[in-house]
Amino acid sequence: RPFLELDLALGANTLSVILLFFGVANVLGTFIAGALLGNHFRSTMILVHLAFTAAALALLLSQGHAGIALAVFWGFAFGFTPVGWSTWIARTLSDKAELAGGLTVAATQFAIGLAAAVGGFTYDNLGINGIFLAAAGISVMAALLIAVCFSLFARDTGHKA
């Protein structure tokens, strides 16, 4: 929101419409994620995080309509995240559903709090460019972590990751 409101100087009405498009794109991403993750789980999760990286870096240079389109794309790509997380948990901890559900809620709440704290600190000290650079860095680390975890999981359990 600060990028759209302050850097692109969007008014309240335009900002509301853009955030509506962000939400619609997110729902669309959620539906498409279900189709792609079923057959191409590992590659889809890695590519989505690399797409986050590219979008964050492109947002550093964007202006006007390009920034708006990238923000809406971010909503679309983010639709893959909860579907991917839930699918991963279901595949790896299917015999421990109660434990997995509790851990998922705890991890999600912790991540929201940590992201708010780190994001606020980053924005206060480095501005919106710091947010985009941090997002790119975190997305690259996530893609690498996904690749490593899936390699370990497939090797240790004999399952296809």
Side-chain angles (χ1 to χ4, degrees):
R1 187 190 60 80
F3 169 71
L4 296 172
E5 187 175 42
L6 302 175
D7 290 32
L8 298 184
L10 299 179
N13 290 339
T14 305
L15 180 62
S16 295
V17 171
I18 300 306
L19 292 176
L20 172 65
F21 287 143
F22 178 96
V24 170
N26 183 265
V27 171
L28 183 62
T30 300
F31 284 117
I32 293 173
L36 290 176
L37 290 170
N39 295 322
H40 310 284
F41 189 81
R42 180 182 180 186
S43 58
T44 300
M45 289 304 295
I46 291 169
L47 288 173
V48 164
H49 285 83
L50 293 177
F52 277 133
T53 303
L57 294 175
L59 280 162
L60 282 169
L61 306 172
S62 68
Q63 298 176 2
H65 295 297
I68 292 169
L70 287 164
V72 172
F73 172 76
W74 192 278
F76 172 78
F78 187 74
F80 284 72
T81 303
V83 177
W85 177 260
S86 299
T87 303
W88 193 346
I89 293 295
R91 287 181 177 185
T92 58
L93 296 173
S94 60
D95 58 333
K96 298 177 179 120
E98 293 82 15
L99 173 66
L103 287 174
T104 299
V105 170
T108 301
Q109 294 304 314
F110 177 75
I112 291 169
L114 182 62
V118 171
F121 179 82
T122 302
Y123 185 74
D124 287 346
N125 290 288
L126 301 173
I128 198 68
N129 288 343
I131 292 292
F132 294 146
L133 288 172
I138 291 167
S139 295
V140 166
M141 288 189 296
L144 292 172
L145 184 62
I146 290 166
V148 168
C149 286
F150 272 99
S151 295
L152 292 174
F153 173 73
R155 182 179 41 221
D156 291 345
T157 64
H159 291 94
K160 181 181 175 191

